[in-house]
Amino acid sequence: MRYSEMFLPTTKETPSDAEIASHQLMLRAGMIRKLAGGIYSYLPLGYRVIRKVENIVREEMNRAGAQEVLLPAVQPAELWMESGRWNMYGKELLRVRDRHNRDYCIGPTHEEVITALVRDEIQTYRQLPRNLYQIQTKFRDEIRPRFGIMRSREFGMKDAYSFDATEEGAEESYRKMFDAYNRIFTRCGLHFRPVEADSGNIGGSFSHEFMVTADSGEDAMVHCTSCQYAANLEKAECPRPKEGASQGAECLPLEEVHTPDVRTIEEVCAYLDVAPRDVVKTMIFMCDAKPVAVLVRGDEEINEAKLKNYLGCDSLELSMDDTILEVTGSPRGFAGPIGIKCRIIADHSLNGMENFVVGGNREDYHIKNCNSTRDFGTSEYADLRVIREGDMCPRCGGEISIVRGIEVGHVFKLGTKYSKAMNATFLDRDGKEKHMIMGCYGIGISRTVAACIEQSHDGDGIIWPMSIAPFHVIITPVNMKDEQISRAAEEMYERFVADGIEVILDDRDERAGVKFKDADLIGVPLRVTVGSRGLADGTVEVKFRQSGKVDKIPISTASDFVTGAITDV
RNA sequence: CGGGGCGUAGCGCAGCCUGGCAGCGCGCCUGCUUUGGGAGCAGGAUGUCGCAGGUUCGAAUCCUGCCGCCCCGACCA
């Protein structure tokens, strides 16, 4: 393409409402423009990159045996009522009415549509397994969209759904997708890691998130520095201390102490001059409308995802002040396990603790020297806390490290959740009707592009990997008014185009500096500089955006050199 | 939904406190000079000061309501 004819509005200044590098650079490089909160237009440069990622995804999905479809974006409410999600999904689901006052939603995901399609068309095990995928715009009415297209309301997504007759088949389908995802993100030039994710009530490790490591990422990922263990923060298991691993200290008598207006762990520690790890927090949760007291050490946090899984409940939230008063007999800030009127569950780390501080269940009082077995006799211990940097790996005992990441893909074994709700069955070899076993597999296409920029940029702009670069090469004639230079650049451009190279000719009548800055900003991997210095001895300069390396190449072999550099990667 | 901030030219911002000709930089247009890392000079165009109402002789500026955007939090099958 000729730069002079392109719709490529780059800017020198950074828009004030962009916080993170990818958002700023996508705006500055003329890839995207915002239309409304969390809703963006893709300009030609941005859309080219999207298409590159989509094509990699297509190739690998097809290679893994999946078939591409395109499902409706607008979906009737009845389908969502069948699955139960019309009521469960909440405000993220954008609902609309048509002229006949019928309810629809703009699809945030497509389990309902695909399940309805497949149940009508597949009757026998002979037609299984099948894996169908689409690349389509999704809409999720996020509470707070942010960071440009990193968390937008409208976004591009690849979603795939597998249907199997047997458990083993479903696991095989899952593995195929897992492998395909590894190839896809590798080809996109990303540093990523699949991590075990919370799979809700289904259990096992049949859910993995593909996380791109980036400090700006919204998610925390946990990994072991010694073995391959990796999980997201919600899922990460904490190592279980040895049963009854007490230090053998003597149980001291209980002591109620007056602690006026001392509520938080910090206040308690300061007032009583103890360490947070010697205090036990008592949090009252409402689990499907029943109160539960959850105990965790003062220096630890409760992991609500684990707690919810352990309790197996549908809804879980911290209880209101009136419930706390009812259960503990005191206002917020003084809850403790002794004499409390509800079920008590303690994190494993409490097992073996001695003489710790707890709330007094009485306003302005705490209790010292509490010992679980003696004082409230709980025997219900579970893994309920959030893992921390430096903790022991639950697999090998090595050291746990936590880094931030961006979730670009998710593979999930659904089981029969939707096939049961929507009655998607098939007739098996034994003549019995069975529910199909499903899996779903998503990739955030637009987010993957943003993640790539987060991971690969410098002070001058984006640094695209060759595989998803919008163009391979940009030819920069240093001075268009110089006949010799512009003619040489034109000829080279024609040759590159003829050789199938994706090339921009920067034929604008701008100074060299402006062209160099724009080339760096939009991140084209190779830049060919045509100037009088080189032309004197029949050469041009080829500069690599990533390494900064510059090669002097004879004009006659430039196309071969560039072609080599493109296919090299 | 709670807390904080913002809304003035295409972009980045000043002006608002203390009411009195709507400004600066970048970009854009014209011309000349310049031409290897965001050129110089000269001339020029561009505004519903977010919207609505109120106070006032007079409102970008003060008051009220609304809308939009950004950040933090809560929330996130």
Side-chain angles (χ1 to χ4, degrees):
Chain A
M1 287 232 66
R2 291 170 188 277
Y3 202 128
S4 63
E5 295 169 3
M6 291 173 73
F7 184 60
L8 177 46
T10 59
T11 65
K12 191 151 58 171
E13 281 172 297
T14 303
S16 59
D17 54 5
E19 286 275 310
I20 61 171
S22 60
H23 189 196
Q24 294 176 347
L25 289 171
M26 289 182 88
L27 288 166
R28 286 192 55 210
M31 293 177 67
I32 57 170
R33 287 293 182 264
K34 185 172 70 184
L35 180 65
I39 300 177
Y40 288 83
S41 301
Y42 290 91
L43 278 47
L45 197 78
Y47 192 48
R48 280 185 79 101
V49 180
I50 294 278
R51 292 289 294 261
K52 293 271 176 120
V53 173
E54 285 180 359
N55 284 335
I56 290 174
V57 169
R58 261 192 197 97
E59 284 176 20
E60 295 299 339
M61 290 302 291
N62 293 345
R63 177 136 77 112
Q67 298 168 66
E68 188 168 10
V69 295
L70 183 58
L71 305 170
V74 176
Q75 309 176 10
E78 289 76 37
L79 265 187
W80 287 72
M81 289 171 180
E82 264 191 68
S83 70
R85 288 208 291 185
W86 185 257
N87 295 321
M88 292 299 290
Y89 211 93
K91 288 188 181 169
E92 248 181 66
L93 187 65
L94 182 66
R95 296 152 212 256
V96 291
R97 284 221 167 108
D98 70 4
R99 61 169 70 198
H100 304 294
N101 235 13
R102 285 190 283 248
D103 288 314
Y104 291 83
C105 65
I106 312 289
T109 175
H110 282 70
E111 280 84 5
E112 280 80 3
V113 176
I114 197 82
T115 306
L117 177 69
V118 168
R119 78 173 163 200
D120 290 347
E121 307 305 329
I122 289 186
Q123 287 95 31
T124 144
Y125 72 96
R126 293 175 196 277
Q127 293 169 295
L128 295 172
R130 289 290 182 270
N131 186 328
L132 302 173
Y133 76 98
Q134 64 168 345
I135 296 175
Q136 200 216 29
T137 299
K138 298 278 190 277
F139 195 96
R140 293 182 187 173
D141 201 355
E142 293 280 345
I143 293 173
R144 187 151 83 85
R146 60 187 125 180
F147 303 144
I149 62 166
M150 193 71 83
R151 177 173 294 278
S152 52
R153 295 196 293 170
E154 187 176 302
F155 60 98
M157 182 171 171
K158 186 283 302 178
D159 48 321
Y161 307 88
S162 64
F163 297 84
D164 275 273
T166 64
E167 285 292 335
E168 303 77 60
E171 284 168 29
E172 175 66 10
S173 293
Y174 184 91
R175 194 192 55 75
K176 278 185 184 163
M177 286 296 104
F178 187 90
D179 293 345
Y181 276 35
N182 275 303
R183 288 196 298 268
I184 287 166
F185 296 121
T186 300
R187 284 182 62 184
C188 289
L190 291 162
H191 300 289
F192 68 96
R193 189 193 290 268
V195 305
E196 289 179 21
D198 182 23
S199 51
N201 301 326
I202 291 160
S205 59
F206 282 107
S207 177
H208 286 85
E209 289 174 351
F210 285 76
M211 306 288 293
V212 167
T213 49
D215 292 337
S216 58
E218 290 189 274
D219 301 304
M221 54 197 255
V222 171
H223 65 95
C224 175
T225 52
S226 307
C227 74
Q228 289 301 304
Y229 181 73
N232 71 13
L233 198 62
E234 289 76 45
K235 168 81 179 178
E237 304 155 37
C238 296
R240 195 172 164 170
K242 288 194 191 86
E243 223 38 64
S246 77
Q247 279 109 52
E250 209 180 311
C251 286
L252 300 172
L254 284 179
E255 183 186 338
E256 190 175 51
V257 284
H258 189 226
T259 52
D261 213 29
V262 171
R263 291 162 197 271
T264 65
I265 293 295
E266 294 78 51
E267 288 165 0
V268 170
C269 291
Y271 192 84
L272 298 176
D273 193 25
V274 293
R277 58 174 303 128
D278 296 324
V279 180
V280 165
K281 287 194 268 207
T282 304
M283 312 275 281
I284 314 296
F285 282 88
M286 288 305 279
C287 163
D288 290 343
K290 274 201 296 233
V292 179
V294 182
L295 309 188
V296 66
R297 231 166 56 189
D299 58 337
E300 306 282 6
E301 296 295 328
I302 291 174
N303 182 330
E304 288 191 31
K306 285 192 206 170
L307 178 60
K308 194 172 173 184
N309 283 342
Y310 176 77
L311 293 167
C313 57
D314 288 328
S315 82
L316 180 76
E317 54 190 7
L318 273 171
S319 48
M320 300 294 150
D321 287 3
D322 53 345
T323 311
I324 293 175
L325 188 62
E326 193 180 313
V327 174
T328 71
S330 80
R332 185 183 290 271
F334 303 100
I338 302 178
I340 199 166
K341 288 176 277 180
C342 68
R343 177 178 173 189
I344 300 173
I345 311 170
D347 180 69
H348 283 311
S349 58
L350 263 71
N351 203 346
M353 268 180 83
E354 287 150 343
N355 300 324
F356 47 89
V357 175
V358 295
N361 288 336
R362 176 179 169 196
E363 184 161 12
D364 292 341
Y365 282 91
H366 280 77
I367 294 175
K368 287 166 76 170
N369 301 329
C370 180
N371 289 276
S372 0
T373 316
R374 180 190 68 188
D375 300 321
F376 53 94
T378 187
S379 53
E380 191 170 0
Y381 290 99
D383 176 14
L384 301 173
R385 70 179 177 91
V386 178
I387 199 167
R388 294 192 302 178
E389 180 90 28
D391 274 348
M392 265 179 21
C393 170
R395 295 282 183 279
C396 77
E399 194 173 324
I400 285 295
S401 170
I402 300 179
V403 294
R404 300 206 68 80
I406 301 163
E407 181 190 347
V408 290
H410 195 168
V411 293
F412 200 113
K413 187 180 163 203
L414 285 172
T416 53
K417 180 175 174 178
Y418 293 93
S419 51
K420 273 186 180 151
M422 301 183 62
N423 204 31
T425 60
F426 66 97
L427 212 53
D428 206 351
R429 196 185 301 264
D430 55 14
K432 291 206 177 95
E433 191 174 45
K434 292 177 182 167
H435 289 106
M436 299 177 198
I437 302 168
M438 293 172 59
C440 69
Y441 318 92
I443 289 179
I445 302 281
S446 36
R447 184 182 281 182
T448 298
V449 173
C452 184
I453 297 172
E454 282 302 318
Q455 219 168 52
S456 182
H457 68 272
D458 62 15
D460 291 316
I462 302 166
I463 303 171
W464 291 116
M466 195 61 80
S467 58
I468 63 170
F471 291 90
H472 298 139
V473 192
I474 182 163
I475 299 174
T476 308
V478 154
N479 180 359
M480 284 305 286
K481 292 227 172 75
D482 183 316
E483 281 276 334
Q484 202 195 351
I485 292 173
S486 58
R487 194 175 337 112
E490 284 282 349
E491 283 168 9
M492 181 168 296
Y493 173 67
E494 299 296 341
R495 173 74 195 274
F496 281 15
V497 169
D499 289 349
I501 296 167
E502 295 177 41
V503 56
I504 298 176
L505 172 65
D506 193 347
D507 57 343
R508 295 175 301 167
D509 186 16
E510 291 284 355
R511 295 165 63 88
V514 173
K515 296 185 180 186
F516 292 153
K517 287 289 183 188
D518 273 333
D520 287 348
L521 176 61
I522 65 178
V524 179
L526 297 168
R527 188 186 80 208
V528 179
T529 309
V530 182
S532 45
R533 288 181 200 166
L535 289 186
D537 58 358
T539 63
V540 291
E541 289 162 22
V542 179
K543 182 167 183 176
F544 292 76
R545 176 72 177 90
Q546 183 148 33
S547 65
K549 187 166 78 81
V550 179
D551 283 311
K552 284 190 79 166
I553 306 296
I555 293 173
S556 54
T557 61
S559 185
D560 293 340
F561 180 86
V562 164
T563 302
I566 292 166
T567 46
D568 234 22
V569 196

